[in-house]
Amino acid sequence: MLYVEILGNLPEMARDEVKAMLELGEGEIIGQDYLFLKVEAGESAFPFLDRLGLAHEYGFLLVEADSVEELLQKADGVEWPIKGAFKVDTETMANCMHDVLDLPRKLGAVIHAKGFRVNLSRPDTVVRAYCGERLYAGIRLRYFDPKDFEKRKAHHRPFFRPISLHPRVSRALVNLTKATREILDPFMGAGGILIEAGLLGLKVYGVDIRPEMVEGAEINLRHYGVRDYTLRLGDATRLEELFPDKRFEAVATDPPYGTAATLAGRKRDELYRKALKSIYNVLEDGGRLAIAFPTDFDGKAEAEGVGFKMLGRYYQRVHKSLERYFYVFEKW
């Protein structure tokens, strides 16, 4: 049994990202307690869980209980797979229903009594206890350090454009497509989505109508060590002409939202409609599209009119003048 702690800013999107990765790794979510997901999966799921963008960490789930006393009793009967020294960290979630103030000391004492060393400053193993409606304890396997994503934010890239998704969200869009080989971004801009996809080992394809973006995206990709890419100057509404003999496994993209410069003089809604049709035509059957649209554009109706099936929709308020949905569609 495993656990995944997801982030709280886009929780439904985060959960579905985990679900998509588990579908690739032959696992499934079997329960949820606020931001804590119970997962049934084997080691085959680890490479896919390692891809997550909207997660805090994942690990082995060893104990579940309805009280602190039960948790400690069960912990005493568990074989803890601890390497080296350990420490206990407690995560008190917003729905915590138990008094866990002294839990790290009590649980640490139970585990220490089994012969394991404690090191609070530099532990080799982190034991995690979670408090929600129930109590949980396990061993952390992977922590997704925010610094790893922060260093790829727009202002840290050599080619800088301020309008860009957070790298965690870009990573999640890639994962929601369930891509395992390749991905296309037909509105690549400075290449943020392609960077995340490339770091996952996918071959990346990018298109932009502005020459400076094609040049800048290549600078950014090479800066972050992504080498397997194909970038083309062109129109996202005419992808069939750019890739006449190619059908893509997946598409993830964040189209421009409305300035004259980013739309290259075209009407926004018409651009979206034509791009959806073109994307549909270059996707493999069963291929997925992850895309963002402002809330005043009915992405579901427009995409279904082209032939897509909607699998998910996630709301985000960016600021007072921009609210958007992230969508996941499948070609069927």
Side-chain angles (χ1 to χ4, degrees):
M1 195 75 69
L2 303 176
Y3 73 87
V4 181
E5 181 191 352
I6 57 175
L7 301 181
N9 52 338
L10 287 163
E12 293 180 356
M13 186 171 171
R15 177 191 165 96
D16 282 356
E17 182 193 16
V18 174
K19 181 175 181 287
M21 291 298 92
L22 289 172
E23 288 171 355
L24 293 176
E26 299 182 350
E28 62 177 335
I29 298 169
I30 60 171
Q32 180 169 359
D33 190 343
Y34 193 54
L35 301 177
F36 184 91
L37 305 181
K38 288 172 54 181
V39 169
E40 193 168 67
E43 291 188 6
S44 61
F46 292 175
F48 298 104
L49 292 176
D50 285 340
R51 291 173 46 162
L52 291 172
L54 297 178
H56 181 74
E57 66 177 77
Y58 76 86
F60 289 124
L61 176 58
L62 300 174
V63 180
E64 299 178 57
D66 291 312
S67 68
V68 171
E69 292 72 21
E70 184 187 3
L71 180 80
L72 296 174
Q73 182 180 12
K74 287 185 174 181
D76 190 40
V78 166
E79 291 187 15
W80 292 85
I82 291 173
K83 297 179 180 178
F86 79 97
K87 76 168 182 177
V88 177
D89 275 347
T90 301
E91 188 71 30
T92 305
M93 297 187 290
N95 66 334
C96 177
M97 298 179 62
H98 309 270
D99 181 3
V100 293
L101 185 62
D102 204 28
L103 182 57
R105 183 188 64 80
K106 291 178 178 178
L107 180 56
V110 169
I111 298 171
H112 176 64
K114 293 177 173 291
F116 296 107
R117 293 183 296 112
V118 176
N119 187 325
L120 299 180
S121 58
R122 299 186 65 181
D124 303 294
T125 300
V126 177
V127 175
R128 290 282 276 166
Y130 286 84
C131 179
E133 292 185 4
R134 303 189 74 205
L135 294 162
Y136 311 87
I139 299 286
R140 173 190 285 168
L141 290 175
R142 172 70 188 272
Y143 169 64
F144 298 98
D145 192 337
K147 294 177 183 176
D148 291 341
F149 292 96
E150 290 295 319
K151 67 186 180 185
R152 296 193 298 276
K153 290 179 72 172
H155 62 282
H156 291 306
R157 301 171 191 160
F159 178 76
F160 167 63
R161 288 295 182 274
I163 301 173
S164 182
L165 295 175
H166 192 286
R168 282 189 180 271
V169 176
S170 294
R171 174 73 63 95
L173 289 180
V174 172
N175 286 333
L176 285 164
T177 70
K178 296 173 64 175
T180 59
R181 306 187 315 271
E182 64 186 15
I183 204 154
L184 166 69
D185 183 349
F187 295 98
M188 68 178 173
I193 290 174
L194 298 185
I195 291 168
E196 296 306 311
L199 291 174
L200 296 176
L202 303 177
K203 178 173 176 58
V204 298
Y205 295 82
V207 173
D208 206 282
I209 202 166
R210 294 159 293 176
E212 70 274 15
M213 289 299 178
V214 178
E215 295 172 8
E218 181 169 18
I219 291 170
N220 286 340
L221 286 168
R222 296 188 69 83
H223 176 75
Y224 289 105
V226 178
R227 296 290 185 267
D228 196 2
Y229 60 82
T230 297
L231 307 183
R232 295 192 177 165
L233 177 66
D235 191 333
T237 69
R238 305 174 73 174
L239 298 172
E240 305 92 329
E241 297 175 18
L242 293 171
F243 303 99
D245 301 314
K246 176 70 177 168
R247 292 296 175 266
F248 293 93
E249 178 191 21
V251 177
T253 194
D254 180 33
Y257 296 147
T259 67
T262 59
L263 296 177
R266 296 169 292 183
K267 292 184 178 180
R268 189 199 71 176
D269 288 11
E270 188 63 23
L271 171 64
Y272 292 169
R273 292 188 187 102
K274 288 182 176 179
L276 280 168
K277 180 65 175 177
S278 189
I279 291 168
Y280 185 88
N281 289 339
V282 299
L283 257 182
E284 296 176 354
D285 290 342
R288 286 188 175 190
L289 162 65
I291 191 168
F293 289 125
T295 54
D296 62 351
F297 178 79
D298 192 343
K300 179 179 186 294
E302 297 290 349
E304 289 179 345
V306 169
F308 283 108
K309 174 185 178 182
M310 191 177 83
L311 302 179
R313 179 172 64 181
Y314 318 99
Y315 170 80
Q316 183 185 46
R317 184 180 187 275
V318 183
H319 47 69
K320 64 180 181 181
S321 60
L322 176 57
E323 297 173 279
R324 64 187 170 200
Y325 284 112
F326 295 104
Y327 294 88
V328 182
F329 298 111
E330 183 177 68
K331 179 177 178 177
W332 66 320

